[in-house]
Amino acid sequence: MLTITNLAFCITLLIGCKSEVKEEESKRPNIVFIMSDDHAYQAISAYDNSLIETPNIDRIAEMGMLFTNASVTNSICAPSRATILTGKHSHVNGKVDNVSPFDTTNVTFPQLLQKAGYQTAMFGKLHFGNNPKGFDQFKILPGQGAYYNPDFITKNEGEINVKGYVTDIVTDMTLDWLDNERQADKPFMLMYLHKAPHRSWFMAERHMQEYTQKTFEEPATLFDDHEGMPAAKVAQMKIDGNMGWANDSKLYPEVMDQLGLEEVIGFDKLRFENALGRMDSTQRANFDAAYEKVAKEFVEEYPSMSDKDLAKWRYQRYMQDYLGTIKSVDENVGRVLDYLEANDMMENTIIVYTSDQGFYLGEHGWFDKRFVYDESLKTPLLVSWPNRIKPGSVSDELVQNLDFAQTFLDVAGAPQPSDMQGKSLVPVLTGDLDNWERDAVYYHYYEHPSEHNVNRHYAVITKDYKLIHYYFDLDYWELIDRKKDPLEQHNYYDDPAYAEIQKDLHQKLDALREQYGDSTALSQQYIDEFMPLAKEGKVYGVEDDILKPIIEKWESSKEKD
């Protein structure tokens, strides 16, 4: 018979059990995942302070660990994000390029964390889809989003427009959620995702006057001739030659007309005018106050400029705008870190800062990404986790964006699906390297023919070498000696001195392709799915004289099959 005394005891026991569950919930670490778009590791002062100081991003490294060999599996925006969310290579999750749709049947780590009791939120740039799964709250930019007065797709409010500068706005939304929606009795996973410093690099008004007058150190390979590197030779990523005068270099269309400068990329003037058209009168006045000065100086100097002078000018214009956008990213990362510290949340929070890939800042004469060469392949990665990561640590382990999903599931005590292909980074973060083993990583880039004309290629990367196969429409191999040739300007594939190294790398590459389930047949499948879109003109930025022979070659090969 249940007496009042027994009933009271049971209620007390039940309350105690619930309290223990709540206590266990609160012990699981919060996760703050900060990602910018196209943020080169060269533009973070914890890696290299020759271009810019980023004291707030550097704080994360000072509190935790900086990775010098972090890389992506496919250096292009949407595929990188799909890999991060799914923990699977592009050929498995299906998002091989920016053109193909993301398969929404993929299970993502936020869904699994949500199921495991985490409160989840996403603010900023996702890049694909408008209804991310596994989030209690989200406010995301549609597609690439806008720098000024951007639109957002939201979970609860529909489509909204917010006045201001995008980097500040995304941070405002993030802090508002932490302040007003976060449930103190649950661990949370927050994805805080910046648009900046993505092309076309419109910086905040407060930085325009300063950064448009700065001068930056030139990279050693700014005038690289790509001799002996056929894929690099045909790529269309040169700062001097493939950048737009208006939207990229911020020259007014009337200045282009005055100087007789033709549009280098399609709709260049229109894009620039559309970007300015988003600004209110005050924003536009501040923009003009800085950039009319730039235009006036250029008009005066242009008649006497050599081709080399012009390339140097365009490099400086690029760096001024690109780094100006990063200045506001660093400021806003500082706002979030300050909030976590002020609210006693830092001790039980893992903070990750990364980018969706690297970016060329004039190296090889380029902007953009896509190649497996270091500036594109490598991504910044800084991680803090108080009492678990030794402050000021540096790791050269070969880690990838493929590993994030399983790392977050591991620290949350949530099951890691067997079809995820990465590895938890917890052993590396905590110094337990006896339980970490990886001597090579795998890379595969697919989007060709397309903007920038970077051929499809896959590669194996070790700490010392890279073995790269370009297979469509060029077909050849490169072997990069990362120690001997850190600027990656030479191909040692046919050098007899590298015969044994080449053999070993081929074995490693074959093993990784088998391990991850990639194959020549699968590569051909993705080519055959992509080429009809290219033929129909649904692939952006590829010129007819490049596209037509590739289509003809592909059609001829299909007829033979």
Side-chain angles (χ1 to χ4, degrees):
M1 182 176 180
L2 186 62
T3 66
I4 293 177
T5 302
N6 289 338
L7 180 60
F9 174 76
C10 290
I11 291 171
T12 301
L13 184 63
L14 182 60
I15 291 172
C17 289
K18 286 186 176 180
S19 297
E20 287 179 13
V21 170
K22 291 292 184 184
E23 188 177 346
E24 285 303 310
E25 286 276 306
S26 66
K27 285 180 181 177
R28 291 191 291 170
N30 305 311
I31 300 165
V32 176
F33 181 75
I34 310 171
M35 184 166 71
S36 297
D37 194 311
D38 294 342
H39 192 170
Y41 63 88
Q42 312 94 285
I44 294 177
S45 50
Y47 287 94
D48 182 349
N49 65 359
S50 61
L51 289 175
I52 190 172
E53 294 290 339
T54 53
N56 293 296
I57 296 171
D58 293 357
R59 284 165 62 186
I60 302 171
E62 291 162 5
M63 293 187 292
M65 181 174 286
L66 179 144
F67 287 84
T68 60
N69 260 325
S71 66
V72 297
T73 63
N74 182 357
S75 186
I76 191 167
C77 297
S80 174
R81 292 159 191 268
T83 291
I84 288 169
L85 287 169
T86 64
K88 300 174 185 177
H89 276 277
S90 299
H91 65 273
V92 177
N93 68 48
K95 188 62 179 167
V96 297
D97 51 47
N98 280 340
V99 179
S100 60
F102 178 64
D103 181 357
T104 56
T105 64
N106 279 298
V107 175
T108 64
F109 81 82
Q111 289 175 273
L112 299 173
L113 287 179
Q114 190 181 48
K115 186 177 179 181
Y118 270 68
Q119 186 184 10
T120 57
M122 174 189 284
F123 301 99
K125 182 179 176 181
L126 173 60
H127 189 98
F128 58 86
N130 58 12
N131 188 26
K133 294 191 295 185
F135 291 95
D136 300 306
Q137 178 63 281
F138 66 79
K139 295 181 182 180
I140 59 173
L141 296 160
Q144 295 288 1
Y147 272 105
Y148 276 90
N149 306 322
D151 301 316
F152 285 85
I153 300 164
T154 71
K155 187 178 180 74
N156 301 319
E157 305 165 62
E159 294 189 16
I160 62 173
N161 177 265
V162 185
K163 302 302 180 185
Y165 184 66
V166 67
T167 308
D168 301 334
I169 293 167
V170 170
T171 307
D172 292 342
M173 290 174 168
T174 298
L175 295 177
D176 180 71
W177 181 84
L178 285 168
D179 224 18
N180 297 310
E181 294 186 49
R182 181 181 64 86
Q183 300 172 19
D185 60 347
K186 295 180 71 172
F188 67 84
M189 191 284 296
L190 170 64
M191 298 190 81
Y192 167 48
L193 311 175
H194 285 296
K195 169 183 171 61
H198 192 278
R199 189 181 185 185
S200 292
W201 317 297
F202 282 82
M203 70 180 98
E205 298 163 78
R206 60 186 178 273
H207 300 310
M208 289 176 179
Q209 290 287 350
E210 177 188 1
Y211 272 80
T212 53
Q213 298 302 311
K214 279 181 173 286
T215 302
F216 299 96
E217 181 181 345
E218 295 173 2
T221 57
L222 181 61
F223 296 99
D224 192 347
D225 62 6
H226 311 292
E227 192 62 39
M229 313 290 272
K233 197 97 173 172
V234 300
Q236 296 187 331
M237 306 196 308
K238 293 190 75 67
I239 293 171
D240 180 30
N242 302 125
M243 266 189 177
W245 287 107
N247 207 36
D248 290 331
S249 292
K250 312 297 184 297
L251 279 185
Y252 296 88
E254 56 269 27
V255 173
M256 290 176 60
D257 294 341
Q258 177 186 347
L259 299 176
L261 298 172
E262 300 291 334
E263 288 189 313
V264 176
I265 59 175
F267 308 106
D268 183 26
K269 294 178 181 178
L270 180 60
R271 293 184 206 188
F272 182 64
E273 289 166 350
N274 287 342
L276 295 188
R278 296 195 68 92
M279 296 179 177
D280 64 27
S281 59
T282 301
Q283 293 163 344
R284 177 60 191 266
N286 286 327
F287 181 91
D288 288 341
Y291 287 91
E292 284 179 353
K293 189 186 306 180
V294 170
K296 182 177 183 293
E297 292 171 354
F298 182 69
V299 168
E300 292 171 354
E301 295 171 8
Y302 182 72
S304 62
M305 293 173 78
S306 66
D307 289 346
K308 191 168 186 178
D309 291 336
L310 196 58
K312 287 171 171 283
W313 181 87
R314 300 205 73 180
Y315 168 75
Q316 294 299 333
R317 274 280 51 251
Y318 170 37
M319 286 297 91
Q320 289 164 358
D321 291 339
Y322 178 91
L323 295 169
T325 68
I326 289 174
K327 178 68 173 178
S328 62
V329 171
D330 186 68
E331 290 171 342
N332 279 283
V333 167
R335 291 175 62 198
V336 172
L337 296 180
D338 289 346
Y339 180 94
L340 295 173
E341 286 181 344
N343 290 273
D344 298 322
M345 297 167 64
M346 196 70 86
E347 285 300 304
N348 195 36
T349 299
I350 295 173
I351 303 171
V352 175
Y353 186 89
T354 191
S355 173
D356 53 355
Q357 63 262 319
F359 214 66
Y360 294 104
L361 304 186
E363 300 88 2
H364 306 288
W366 288 338
F367 67 104
D368 208 72
K369 55 259 184 181
R370 302 168 194 260
F371 276 104
V372 73
Y373 304 134
D374 271 2
E375 292 83 8
S376 171
L377 167 75
K378 288 170 64 173
T379 185
L381 180 59
L382 306 84
V383 185
S384 71
W385 189 6
N387 304 314
R388 297 298 300 275
I389 300 176
K390 182 181 177 182
S393 301
V394 177
S395 174
D396 70 346
E397 295 299 323
L398 296 164
V399 305
Q400 289 192 293
N401 59 350
L402 184 71
D403 302 320
F404 291 151
Q406 282 161 275
T407 301
F408 298 146
L409 294 172
D410 188 8
V411 301
Q416 301 171 38
S418 59
D419 61 349
M420 284 188 171
Q421 296 181 302
K423 298 176 70 171
S424 170
L425 299 180
V426 169
V428 182
L429 295 170
T430 59
D432 183 19
L433 294 182
D434 289 340
N435 288 307
W436 172 265
E437 184 178 356
R438 180 184 279 163
D439 64 356
V441 293
Y442 184 60
Y443 179 89
H444 198 153
Y445 172 78
Y446 297 84
E447 193 170 298
H448 179 72
S450 187
E451 183 180 20
H452 299 307
N453 199 39
V454 175
N455 277 249
R456 295 180 185 229
H457 57 288
Y458 55 84
V460 60
I461 303 101
T462 71
K463 289 182 180 179
D464 294 331
Y465 303 102
K466 295 177 184 175
L467 179 67
I468 310 163
H469 184 207
Y470 295 92
Y471 65 89
F472 182 77
D473 56 315
L474 295 176
D475 187 1
Y476 79 104
W477 293 84
E478 286 179 358
L479 195 160
I480 304 294
D481 187 330
R482 302 183 75 186
K483 302 296 185 183
K484 181 179 179 180
D485 178 30
L487 298 181
E488 298 179 299
Q489 294 179 288
H490 303 283
N491 179 9
Y492 296 96
Y493 187 78
D494 293 322
D495 188 330
Y498 286 80
E500 286 302 312
I501 293 168
Q502 184 204 109
K503 180 180 177 181
D504 179 62
L505 290 170
H506 271 289
Q507 291 173 347
K508 279 184 165 59
L509 179 60
D510 291 344
L512 285 178
R513 281 168 67 79
E514 182 176 356
Q515 174 186 338
Y516 292 128
D518 203 3
S519 66
T520 300
L522 196 52
S523 295
Q524 188 62 50
Q525 175 189 320
Y526 283 120
I527 291 171
D528 293 341
E529 291 174 359
F530 185 87
M531 288 305 296
L533 298 174
K535 188 176 179 181
E536 293 168 17
K538 294 180 179 178
V539 176
Y540 170 77
V542 56
E543 299 168 4
D544 286 343
D545 61 340
I546 292 173
L547 181 59
K548 187 176 178 180
I550 296 174
I551 291 173
E552 290 173 351
K553 186 188 299 184
W554 171 72
E555 289 180 329
S556 176
S557 70
K558 299 310 291 180
E559 288 172 4
K560 291 177 182 178
D561 292 343

